[in-house]
Amino acid sequence: MGERGRGVRGAAGCRAALNLEPLASICGNNRVVFNIAGNKYRLVVEMQYRAGIAWVKFIGTHAQYDRINVESVNEY
């Protein structure tokens, strides 16, 4: 195999090689938490899947996120 064919194989290997973390986590109460800027900021949305709507419930730093209840926050 040429130089391009060597190295990491598979999705898990690529994630490790690129140091990628999951970009979102599904939580209770139809909430999804998005990691932004390398997990420096967090965005919490409430998903209305059937209507195709995402309501912003919180956006802030990771430190601010640590002080909220994801399932009940409603700052916006």
Side-chain angles (χ1 to χ4, degrees), residues 8-47:
V8 181
R9 301 226 189 260
C14 288
R15 180 173 286 118
L18 297 174
N19 195 23
L20 295 177
E21 295 183 25
L23 299 177
S25 300
I26 299 173
C27 301
N29 199 21
N30 293 322
R31 304 292 174 101
V32 179
V33 178
F34 293 91
N35 299 324
I36 301 171
N39 211 15
K40 184 175 180 182
Y41 300 98
R42 295 285 181 100
L43 169 68
V44 178
V45 299
E46 179 181 330
M47 299 299 298

PDB file of all heavy atoms in Angstrom, residues 8-47:
ATOM      1  N   VAL A   8      -4.299   4.812  10.412  1.00  0.00           N
ATOM      2  CA  VAL A   8      -5.476   4.480  11.202  1.00  0.00           C
ATOM      3  C   VAL A   8      -6.533   3.823  10.337  1.00  0.00           C
ATOM      4  O   VAL A   8      -6.764   4.234   9.212  1.00  0.00           O
ATOM      5  CB  VAL A   8      -6.042   5.780  11.821  1.00  0.00           C
ATOM      6  CG1 VAL A   8      -7.250   5.494  12.658  1.00  0.00           C
ATOM      7  CG2 VAL A   8      -4.976   6.480  12.627  1.00  0.00           C
ATOM      8  N   ARG A   9      -7.184   2.829  10.882  1.00  0.00           N
ATOM      9  CA  ARG A   9      -8.252   2.136  10.165  1.00  0.00           C
ATOM     10  C   ARG A   9      -9.544   2.205  10.968  1.00  0.00           C
ATOM     11  O   ARG A   9      -9.543   2.059  12.170  1.00  0.00           O
ATOM     12  CB  ARG A   9      -7.878   0.680   9.952  1.00  0.00           C
ATOM     13  CG  ARG A   9      -6.602   0.513   9.180  1.00  0.00           C
ATOM     14  CD  ARG A   9      -6.799  -0.521   8.108  1.00  0.00           C
ATOM     15  NE  ARG A   9      -5.535  -0.850   7.489  1.00  0.00           N
ATOM     16  CZ  ARG A   9      -5.152  -0.349   6.342  1.00  0.00           C
ATOM     17  NH1 ARG A   9      -5.899   0.497   5.710  1.00  0.00           N
ATOM     18  NH2 ARG A   9      -3.990  -0.686   5.823  1.00  0.00           N
ATOM     19  N   GLY A  10     -10.649   2.413  10.285  1.00  0.00           N
ATOM     20  CA  GLY A  10     -11.964   2.396  10.921  1.00  0.00           C
ATOM     21  C   GLY A  10     -12.326   3.716  11.586  1.00  0.00           C
ATOM     22  O   GLY A  10     -11.480   4.574  11.819  1.00  0.00           O
ATOM     23  N   ALA A  11     -13.619   3.874  11.889  1.00  0.00           N
ATOM     24  CA  ALA A  11     -14.122   5.123  12.472  1.00  0.00           C
ATOM     25  C   ALA A  11     -13.522   5.406  13.834  1.00  0.00           C
ATOM     26  O   ALA A  11     -13.145   6.536  14.136  1.00  0.00           O
ATOM     27  CB  ALA A  11     -15.648   5.067  12.570  1.00  0.00           C
ATOM     28  N   ALA A  12     -13.409   4.387  14.678  1.00  0.00           N
ATOM     29  CA  ALA A  12     -12.853   4.604  16.020  1.00  0.00           C
ATOM     30  C   ALA A  12     -11.400   5.052  15.926  1.00  0.00           C
ATOM     31  O   ALA A  12     -10.967   5.951  16.641  1.00  0.00           O
ATOM     32  CB  ALA A  12     -12.966   3.332  16.851  1.00  0.00           C
ATOM     33  N   GLY A  13     -10.668   4.467  15.033  1.00  0.00           N
ATOM     34  CA  GLY A  13      -9.274   4.858  14.854  1.00  0.00           C
ATOM     35  C   GLY A  13      -9.152   6.273  14.328  1.00  0.00           C
ATOM     36  O   GLY A  13      -8.293   7.037  14.754  1.00  0.00           O
ATOM     37  N   CYS A  14     -10.022   6.652  13.404  1.00  0.00           N
ATOM     38  CA  CYS A  14     -10.004   8.017  12.868  1.00  0.00           C
ATOM     39  C   CYS A  14     -10.342   9.016  13.956  1.00  0.00           C
ATOM     40  O   CYS A  14      -9.718  10.056  14.069  1.00  0.00           O
ATOM     41  CB  CYS A  14     -10.999   8.157  11.721  1.00  0.00           C
ATOM     42  SG  CYS A  14     -10.474   7.313  10.226  1.00  0.00           S
ATOM     43  N   ARG A  15     -11.350   8.693  14.772  1.00  0.00           N
ATOM     44  CA  ARG A  15     -11.730   9.602  15.857  1.00  0.00           C
ATOM     45  C   ARG A  15     -10.559   9.800  16.807  1.00  0.00           C
ATOM     46  O   ARG A  15     -10.258  10.912  17.213  1.00  0.00           O
ATOM     47  CB  ARG A  15     -12.944   9.060  16.610  1.00  0.00           C
ATOM     48  CG  ARG A  15     -13.388   9.959  17.749  1.00  0.00           C
ATOM     49  CD  ARG A  15     -14.682   9.498  18.389  1.00  0.00           C
ATOM     50  NE  ARG A  15     -15.784   9.809  17.511  1.00  0.00           N
ATOM     51  CZ  ARG A  15     -16.591   8.913  16.968  1.00  0.00           C
ATOM     52  NH1 ARG A  15     -16.439   7.633  17.220  1.00  0.00           N
ATOM     53  NH2 ARG A  15     -17.566   9.270  16.181  1.00  0.00           N
ATOM     54  N   ALA A  16      -9.866   8.722  17.138  1.00  0.00           N
ATOM     55  CA  ALA A  16      -8.726   8.824  18.043  1.00  0.00           C
ATOM     56  C   ALA A  16      -7.592   9.613  17.397  1.00  0.00           C
ATOM     57  O   ALA A  16      -6.966  10.447  18.042  1.00  0.00           O
ATOM     58  CB  ALA A  16      -8.250   7.433  18.449  1.00  0.00           C
ATOM     59  N   ALA A  17      -7.336   9.361  16.135  1.00  0.00           N
ATOM     60  CA  ALA A  17      -6.245  10.043  15.450  1.00  0.00           C
ATOM     61  C   ALA A  17      -6.510  11.536  15.307  1.00  0.00           C
ATOM     62  O   ALA A  17      -5.606  12.348  15.400  1.00  0.00           O
ATOM     63  CB  ALA A  17      -6.026   9.420  14.073  1.00  0.00           C
ATOM     64  N   LEU A  18      -7.756  11.913  15.095  1.00  0.00           N
ATOM     65  CA  LEU A  18      -8.114  13.315  14.929  1.00  0.00           C
ATOM     66  C   LEU A  18      -8.511  13.980  16.234  1.00  0.00           C
ATOM     67  O   LEU A  18      -8.787  15.168  16.272  1.00  0.00           O
ATOM     68  CB  LEU A  18      -9.263  13.444  13.927  1.00  0.00           C
ATOM     69  CG  LEU A  18      -8.954  12.973  12.513  1.00  0.00           C
ATOM     70  CD1 LEU A  18     -10.211  13.008  11.661  1.00  0.00           C
ATOM     71  CD2 LEU A  18      -7.868  13.833  11.899  1.00  0.00           C
ATOM     72  N   ASN A  19      -8.566  13.212  17.328  1.00  0.00           N
ATOM     73  CA  ASN A  19      -8.949  13.712  18.641  1.00  0.00           C
ATOM     74  C   ASN A  19     -10.336  14.356  18.601  1.00  0.00           C
ATOM     75  O   ASN A  19     -10.548  15.451  19.099  1.00  0.00           O
ATOM     76  CB  ASN A  19      -7.911  14.696  19.186  1.00  0.00           C
ATOM     77  CG  ASN A  19      -8.101  14.948  20.673  1.00  0.00           C
ATOM     78  OD1 ASN A  19      -8.679  14.122  21.375  1.00  0.00           O
ATOM     79  ND2 ASN A  19      -7.649  16.078  21.151  1.00  0.00           N
ATOM     80  N   LEU A  20     -11.299  13.672  17.974  1.00  0.00           N
ATOM     81  CA  LEU A  20     -12.664  14.173  17.882  1.00  0.00           C
ATOM     82  C   LEU A  20     -13.494  13.634  19.029  1.00  0.00           C
ATOM     83  O   LEU A  20     -13.432  12.458  19.344  1.00  0.00           O
ATOM     84  CB  LEU A  20     -13.311  13.748  16.561  1.00  0.00           C
ATOM     85  CG  LEU A  20     -12.696  14.322  15.300  1.00  0.00           C
ATOM     86  CD1 LEU A  20     -13.403  13.760  14.084  1.00  0.00           C
ATOM     87  CD2 LEU A  20     -12.789  15.833  15.300  1.00  0.00           C
ATOM     88  N   GLU A  21     -14.280  14.489  19.630  1.00  0.00           N
ATOM     89  CA  GLU A  21     -15.229  14.072  20.655  1.00  0.00           C
ATOM     90  C   GLU A  21     -16.612  14.132  20.033  1.00  0.00           C
ATOM     91  O   GLU A  21     -16.821  14.845  19.052  1.00  0.00           O
ATOM     92  CB  GLU A  21     -15.148  15.013  21.849  1.00  0.00           C
ATOM     93  CG  GLU A  21     -13.818  14.960  22.552  1.00  0.00           C
ATOM     94  CD  GLU A  21     -13.795  15.862  23.772  1.00  0.00           C
ATOM     95  OE1 GLU A  21     -14.858  16.142  24.331  1.00  0.00           O
ATOM     96  OE2 GLU A  21     -12.703  16.278  24.137  1.00  0.00           O
ATOM     97  N   PRO A  22     -17.575  13.444  20.619  1.00  0.00           N
ATOM     98  CA  PRO A  22     -18.937  13.552  20.091  1.00  0.00           C
ATOM     99  C   PRO A  22     -19.389  15.013  20.090  1.00  0.00           C
ATOM    100  O   PRO A  22     -19.088  15.769  21.007  1.00  0.00           O
ATOM    101  CB  PRO A  22     -19.762  12.730  21.075  1.00  0.00           C
ATOM    102  CG  PRO A  22     -18.791  11.791  21.708  1.00  0.00           C
ATOM    103  CD  PRO A  22     -17.485  12.533  21.741  1.00  0.00           C
ATOM    104  N   LEU A  23     -20.098  15.414  19.061  1.00  0.00           N
ATOM    105  CA  LEU A  23     -20.529  16.798  18.939  1.00  0.00           C
ATOM    106  C   LEU A  23     -21.854  17.065  19.634  1.00  0.00           C
ATOM    107  O   LEU A  23     -22.198  18.213  19.872  1.00  0.00           O
ATOM    108  CB  LEU A  23     -20.629  17.186  17.469  1.00  0.00           C
ATOM    109  CG  LEU A  23     -19.319  17.098  16.693  1.00  0.00           C
ATOM    110  CD1 LEU A  23     -19.550  17.430  15.227  1.00  0.00           C
ATOM    111  CD2 LEU A  23     -18.292  18.033  17.284  1.00  0.00           C
ATOM    112  N   ALA A  24     -22.615  16.020  19.954  1.00  0.00           N
ATOM    113  CA  ALA A  24     -23.906  16.211  20.606  1.00  0.00           C
ATOM    114  C   ALA A  24     -24.246  15.004  21.463  1.00  0.00           C
ATOM    115  O   ALA A  24     -23.806  13.892  21.200  1.00  0.00           O
ATOM    116  CB  ALA A  24     -24.989  16.432  19.564  1.00  0.00           C
ATOM    117  N   SER A  25     -25.052  15.269  22.504  1.00  0.00           N
ATOM    118  CA  SER A  25     -25.547  14.205  23.381  1.00  0.00           C
ATOM    119  C   SER A  25     -27.053  14.353  23.502  1.00  0.00           C
ATOM    120  O   SER A  25     -27.560  15.457  23.712  1.00  0.00           O
ATOM    121  CB  SER A  25     -24.930  14.326  24.775  1.00  0.00           C
ATOM    122  OG  SER A  25     -23.534  14.238  24.711  1.00  0.00           O
ATOM    123  N   ILE A  26     -27.766  13.242  23.377  1.00  0.00           N
ATOM    124  CA  ILE A  26     -29.217  13.249  23.541  1.00  0.00           C
ATOM    125  C   ILE A  26     -29.520  13.038  25.011  1.00  0.00           C
ATOM    126  O   ILE A  26     -29.013  12.113  25.634  1.00  0.00           O
ATOM    127  CB  ILE A  26     -29.865  12.160  22.673  1.00  0.00           C
ATOM    128  CG1 ILE A  26     -29.559  12.439  21.206  1.00  0.00           C
ATOM    129  CG2 ILE A  26     -31.362  12.097  22.926  1.00  0.00           C
ATOM    130  CD1 ILE A  26     -29.991  11.353  20.259  1.00  0.00           C
ATOM    131  N   CYS A  27     -30.341  13.933  25.575  1.00  0.00           N
ATOM    132  CA  CYS A  27     -30.689  13.887  26.990  1.00  0.00           C
ATOM    133  C   CYS A  27     -32.202  13.682  27.136  1.00  0.00           C
ATOM    134  O   CYS A  27     -32.910  13.570  26.147  1.00  0.00           O
ATOM    135  CB  CYS A  27     -30.265  15.187  27.670  1.00  0.00           C
ATOM    136  SG  CYS A  27     -28.499  15.503  27.519  1.00  0.00           S
ATOM    137  N   GLY A  28     -32.686  13.692  28.367  1.00  0.00           N
ATOM    138  CA  GLY A  28     -34.108  13.553  28.619  1.00  0.00           C
ATOM    139  C   GLY A  28     -34.880  14.795  28.225  1.00  0.00           C
ATOM    140  O   GLY A  28     -34.314  15.850  27.937  1.00  0.00           O
ATOM    141  N   ASN A  29     -36.215  14.688  28.220  1.00  0.00           N
ATOM    142  CA  ASN A  29     -37.127  15.794  27.929  1.00  0.00           C
ATOM    143  C   ASN A  29     -36.886  16.380  26.538  1.00  0.00           C
ATOM    144  O   ASN A  29     -36.991  17.586  26.330  1.00  0.00           O
ATOM    145  CB  ASN A  29     -37.033  16.877  29.009  1.00  0.00           C
ATOM    146  CG  ASN A  29     -38.239  17.783  29.020  1.00  0.00           C
ATOM    147  OD1 ASN A  29     -39.297  17.424  28.532  1.00  0.00           O
ATOM    148  ND2 ASN A  29     -38.081  18.964  29.581  1.00  0.00           N
ATOM    149  N   ASN A  30     -36.557  15.511  25.580  1.00  0.00           N
ATOM    150  CA  ASN A  30     -36.313  15.906  24.190  1.00  0.00           C
ATOM    151  C   ASN A  30     -35.196  16.927  24.042  1.00  0.00           C
ATOM    152  O   ASN A  30     -35.193  17.732  23.115  1.00  0.00           O
ATOM    153  CB  ASN A  30     -37.593  16.438  23.531  1.00  0.00           C
ATOM    154  CG  ASN A  30     -38.636  15.373  23.372  1.00  0.00           C
ATOM    155  OD1 ASN A  30     -38.328  14.231  23.062  1.00  0.00           O
ATOM    156  ND2 ASN A  30     -39.879  15.735  23.606  1.00  0.00           N
ATOM    157  N   ARG A  31     -34.227  16.919  24.946  1.00  0.00           N
ATOM    158  CA  ARG A  31     -33.130  17.872  24.911  1.00  0.00           C
ATOM    159  C   ARG A  31     -31.903  17.249  24.260  1.00  0.00           C
ATOM    160  O   ARG A  31     -31.607  16.068  24.444  1.00  0.00           O
ATOM    161  CB  ARG A  31     -32.750  18.342  26.320  1.00  0.00           C
ATOM    162  CG  ARG A  31     -33.886  18.938  27.116  1.00  0.00           C
ATOM    163  CD  ARG A  31     -34.327  20.267  26.524  1.00  0.00           C
ATOM    164  NE  ARG A  31     -35.503  20.805  27.164  1.00  0.00           N
ATOM    165  CZ  ARG A  31     -35.492  21.781  28.072  1.00  0.00           C
ATOM    166  NH1 ARG A  31     -34.362  22.302  28.481  1.00  0.00           N
ATOM    167  NH2 ARG A  31     -36.626  22.230  28.575  1.00  0.00           N
ATOM    168  N   VAL A  32     -31.189  18.085  23.494  1.00  0.00           N
ATOM    169  CA  VAL A  32     -29.923  17.694  22.880  1.00  0.00           C
ATOM    170  C   VAL A  32     -28.896  18.749  23.265  1.00  0.00           C
ATOM    171  O   VAL A  32     -29.167  19.950  23.191  1.00  0.00           O
ATOM    172  CB  VAL A  32     -30.032  17.596  21.342  1.00  0.00           C
ATOM    173  CG1 VAL A  32     -28.696  17.204  20.726  1.00  0.00           C
ATOM    174  CG2 VAL A  32     -31.117  16.599  20.947  1.00  0.00           C
ATOM    175  N   VAL A  33     -27.724  18.307  23.708  1.00  0.00           N
ATOM    176  CA  VAL A  33     -26.641  19.202  24.100  1.00  0.00           C
ATOM    177  C   VAL A  33     -25.547  19.113  23.037  1.00  0.00           C
ATOM    178  O   VAL A  33     -25.038  18.029  22.758  1.00  0.00           O
ATOM    179  CB  VAL A  33     -26.067  18.824  25.480  1.00  0.00           C
ATOM    180  CG1 VAL A  33     -24.904  19.743  25.841  1.00  0.00           C
ATOM    181  CG2 VAL A  33     -27.138  18.864  26.547  1.00  0.00           C
ATOM    182  N   PHE A  34     -25.213  20.261  22.453  1.00  0.00           N
ATOM    183  CA  PHE A  34     -24.164  20.341  21.435  1.00  0.00           C
ATOM    184  C   PHE A  34     -22.904  20.919  22.052  1.00  0.00           C
ATOM    185  O   PHE A  34     -22.954  21.921  22.760  1.00  0.00           O
ATOM    186  CB  PHE A  34     -24.612  21.237  20.272  1.00  0.00           C
ATOM    187  CG  PHE A  34     -25.753  20.666  19.487  1.00  0.00           C
ATOM    188  CD1 PHE A  34     -27.061  20.973  19.828  1.00  0.00           C
ATOM    189  CD2 PHE A  34     -25.511  19.823  18.409  1.00  0.00           C
ATOM    190  CE1 PHE A  34     -28.124  20.448  19.107  1.00  0.00           C
ATOM    191  CE2 PHE A  34     -26.567  19.295  17.683  1.00  0.00           C
ATOM    192  CZ  PHE A  34     -27.872  19.607  18.037  1.00  0.00           C
ATOM    193  N   ASN A  35     -21.774  20.281  21.780  1.00  0.00           N
ATOM    194  CA  ASN A  35     -20.459  20.780  22.194  1.00  0.00           C
ATOM    195  C   ASN A  35     -19.952  21.699  21.092  1.00  0.00           C
ATOM    196  O   ASN A  35     -19.920  21.322  19.930  1.00  0.00           O
ATOM    197  CB  ASN A  35     -19.480  19.633  22.396  1.00  0.00           C
ATOM    198  CG  ASN A  35     -19.944  18.685  23.465  1.00  0.00           C
ATOM    199  OD1 ASN A  35     -20.520  19.087  24.452  1.00  0.00           O
ATOM    200  ND2 ASN A  35     -19.704  17.404  23.255  1.00  0.00           N
ATOM    201  N   ILE A  36     -19.557  22.908  21.469  1.00  0.00           N
ATOM    202  CA  ILE A  36     -19.115  23.906  20.501  1.00  0.00           C
ATOM    203  C   ILE A  36     -17.697  24.366  20.855  1.00  0.00           C
ATOM    204  O   ILE A  36     -17.381  24.520  22.029  1.00  0.00           O
ATOM    205  CB  ILE A  36     -20.078  25.114  20.508  1.00  0.00           C
ATOM    206  CG1 ILE A  36     -21.501  24.646  20.167  1.00  0.00           C
ATOM    207  CG2 ILE A  36     -19.605  26.196  19.540  1.00  0.00           C
ATOM    208  CD1 ILE A  36     -22.556  25.707  20.354  1.00  0.00           C
ATOM    209  N   ALA A  37     -16.894  24.599  19.840  1.00  0.00           N
ATOM    210  CA  ALA A  37     -15.524  25.108  20.004  1.00  0.00           C
ATOM    211  C   ALA A  37     -14.698  24.212  20.914  1.00  0.00           C
ATOM    212  O   ALA A  37     -14.109  24.666  21.884  1.00  0.00           O
ATOM    213  CB  ALA A  37     -15.527  26.548  20.498  1.00  0.00           C
ATOM    214  N   GLY A  38     -14.674  22.931  20.578  1.00  0.00           N
ATOM    215  CA  GLY A  38     -13.867  21.992  21.355  1.00  0.00           C
ATOM    216  C   GLY A  38     -14.355  21.823  22.774  1.00  0.00           C
ATOM    217  O   GLY A  38     -13.568  21.657  23.692  1.00  0.00           O
ATOM    218  N   ASN A  39     -15.678  21.895  22.972  1.00  0.00           N
ATOM    219  CA  ASN A  39     -16.315  21.691  24.275  1.00  0.00           C
ATOM    220  C   ASN A  39     -16.153  22.911  25.197  1.00  0.00           C
ATOM    221  O   ASN A  39     -16.406  22.837  26.378  1.00  0.00           O
ATOM    222  CB  ASN A  39     -15.785  20.430  24.944  1.00  0.00           C
ATOM    223  CG  ASN A  39     -16.812  19.773  25.830  1.00  0.00           C
ATOM    224  OD1 ASN A  39     -17.993  20.074  25.758  1.00  0.00           O
ATOM    225  ND2 ASN A  39     -16.373  18.874  26.668  1.00  0.00           N
ATOM    226  N   LYS A  40     -15.756  24.046  24.640  1.00  0.00           N
ATOM    227  CA  LYS A  40     -15.634  25.273  25.438  1.00  0.00           C
ATOM    228  C   LYS A  40     -17.013  25.861  25.738  1.00  0.00           C
ATOM    229  O   LYS A  40     -17.240  26.445  26.787  1.00  0.00           O
ATOM    230  CB  LYS A  40     -14.779  26.290  24.689  1.00  0.00           C
ATOM    231  CG  LYS A  40     -14.512  27.563  25.465  1.00  0.00           C
ATOM    232  CD  LYS A  40     -13.569  28.480  24.720  1.00  0.00           C
ATOM    233  CE  LYS A  40     -13.319  29.751  25.513  1.00  0.00           C
ATOM    234  NZ  LYS A  40     -12.445  30.679  24.790  1.00  0.00           N
ATOM    235  N   TYR A  41     -17.935  25.708  24.793  1.00  0.00           N
ATOM    236  CA  TYR A  41     -19.304  26.199  24.945  1.00  0.00           C
ATOM    237  C   TYR A  41     -20.294  25.059  24.778  1.00  0.00           C
ATOM    238  O   TYR A  41     -19.977  24.053  24.149  1.00  0.00           O
ATOM    239  CB  TYR A  41     -19.606  27.287  23.909  1.00  0.00           C
ATOM    240  CG  TYR A  41     -18.701  28.476  24.029  1.00  0.00           C
ATOM    241  CD1 TYR A  41     -17.587  28.607  23.208  1.00  0.00           C
ATOM    242  CD2 TYR A  41     -18.946  29.468  24.971  1.00  0.00           C
ATOM    243  CE1 TYR A  41     -16.735  29.691  23.324  1.00  0.00           C
ATOM    244  CE2 TYR A  41     -18.098  30.552  25.093  1.00  0.00           C
ATOM    245  CZ  TYR A  41     -17.004  30.660  24.265  1.00  0.00           C
ATOM    246  OH  TYR A  41     -16.168  31.727  24.390  1.00  0.00           O
ATOM    247  N   ARG A  42     -21.500  25.257  25.331  1.00  0.00           N
ATOM    248  CA  ARG A  42     -22.563  24.264  25.204  1.00  0.00           C
ATOM    249  C   ARG A  42     -23.841  24.942  24.724  1.00  0.00           C
ATOM    250  O   ARG A  42     -24.168  26.050  25.145  1.00  0.00           O
ATOM    251  CB  ARG A  42     -22.851  23.590  26.542  1.00  0.00           C
ATOM    252  CG  ARG A  42     -21.710  22.757  27.110  1.00  0.00           C
ATOM    253  CD  ARG A  42     -21.603  21.453  26.353  1.00  0.00           C
ATOM    254  NE  ARG A  42     -20.555  20.607  26.844  1.00  0.00           N
ATOM    255  CZ  ARG A  42     -20.734  19.572  27.660  1.00  0.00           C
ATOM    256  NH1 ARG A  42     -21.912  19.286  28.119  1.00  0.00           N
ATOM    257  NH2 ARG A  42     -19.701  18.847  28.020  1.00  0.00           N
ATOM    258  N   LEU A  43     -24.555  24.265  23.852  1.00  0.00           N
ATOM    259  CA  LEU A  43     -25.853  24.690  23.353  1.00  0.00           C
ATOM    260  C   LEU A  43     -26.850  23.602  23.688  1.00  0.00           C
ATOM    261  O   LEU A  43     -26.640  22.440  23.342  1.00  0.00           O
ATOM    262  CB  LEU A  43     -25.791  24.904  21.835  1.00  0.00           C
ATOM    263  CG  LEU A  43     -27.112  25.094  21.111  1.00  0.00           C
ATOM    264  CD1 LEU A  43     -27.751  26.423  21.515  1.00  0.00           C
ATOM    265  CD2 LEU A  43     -26.903  25.034  19.597  1.00  0.00           C
ATOM    266  N   VAL A  44     -27.932  23.982  24.391  1.00  0.00           N
ATOM    267  CA  VAL A  44     -28.986  23.028  24.731  1.00  0.00           C
ATOM    268  C   VAL A  44     -30.222  23.411  23.929  1.00  0.00           C
ATOM    269  O   VAL A  44     -30.657  24.566  23.959  1.00  0.00           O
ATOM    270  CB  VAL A  44     -29.318  23.057  26.243  1.00  0.00           C
ATOM    271  CG1 VAL A  44     -30.462  22.091  26.557  1.00  0.00           C
ATOM    272  CG2 VAL A  44     -28.082  22.711  27.072  1.00  0.00           C
ATOM    273  N   VAL A  45     -30.763  22.461  23.200  1.00  0.00           N
ATOM    274  CA  VAL A  45     -31.993  22.691  22.447  1.00  0.00           C
ATOM    275  C   VAL A  45     -33.026  21.650  22.832  1.00  0.00           C
ATOM    276  O   VAL A  45     -32.692  20.543  23.247  1.00  0.00           O
ATOM    277  CB  VAL A  45     -31.764  22.659  20.918  1.00  0.00           C
ATOM    278  CG1 VAL A  45     -30.804  23.740  20.479  1.00  0.00           C
ATOM    279  CG2 VAL A  45     -31.303  21.315  20.451  1.00  0.00           C
ATOM    280  N   GLU A  46     -34.291  22.044  22.723  1.00  0.00           N
ATOM    281  CA  GLU A  46     -35.397  21.093  22.874  1.00  0.00           C
ATOM    282  C   GLU A  46     -35.881  20.768  21.477  1.00  0.00           C
ATOM    283  O   GLU A  46     -36.263  21.667  20.718  1.00  0.00           O
ATOM    284  CB  GLU A  46     -36.535  21.695  23.690  1.00  0.00           C
ATOM    285  CG  GLU A  46     -37.703  20.735  23.848  1.00  0.00           C
ATOM    286  CD  GLU A  46     -38.839  21.332  24.644  1.00  0.00           C
ATOM    287  OE1 GLU A  46     -38.589  22.175  25.526  1.00  0.00           O
ATOM    288  OE2 GLU A  46     -39.987  20.961  24.383  1.00  0.00           O
ATOM    289  N   MET A  47     -35.845  19.511  21.130  1.00  0.00           N
ATOM    290  CA  MET A  47     -36.225  19.083  19.787  1.00  0.00           C
ATOM    291  C   MET A  47     -37.708  18.735  19.735  1.00  0.00           C
ATOM    292  O   MET A  47     -38.210  18.019  20.596  1.00  0.00           O
ATOM    293  CB  MET A  47     -35.413  17.855  19.379  1.00  0.00           C
ATOM    294  CG  MET A  47     -33.916  18.080  19.327  1.00  0.00           C
ATOM    295  SD  MET A  47     -33.390  19.322  18.152  1.00  0.00           S
ATOM    296  CE  MET A  47     -33.929  18.601  16.625  1.00  0.00           C
TER     297      MET A  47
END
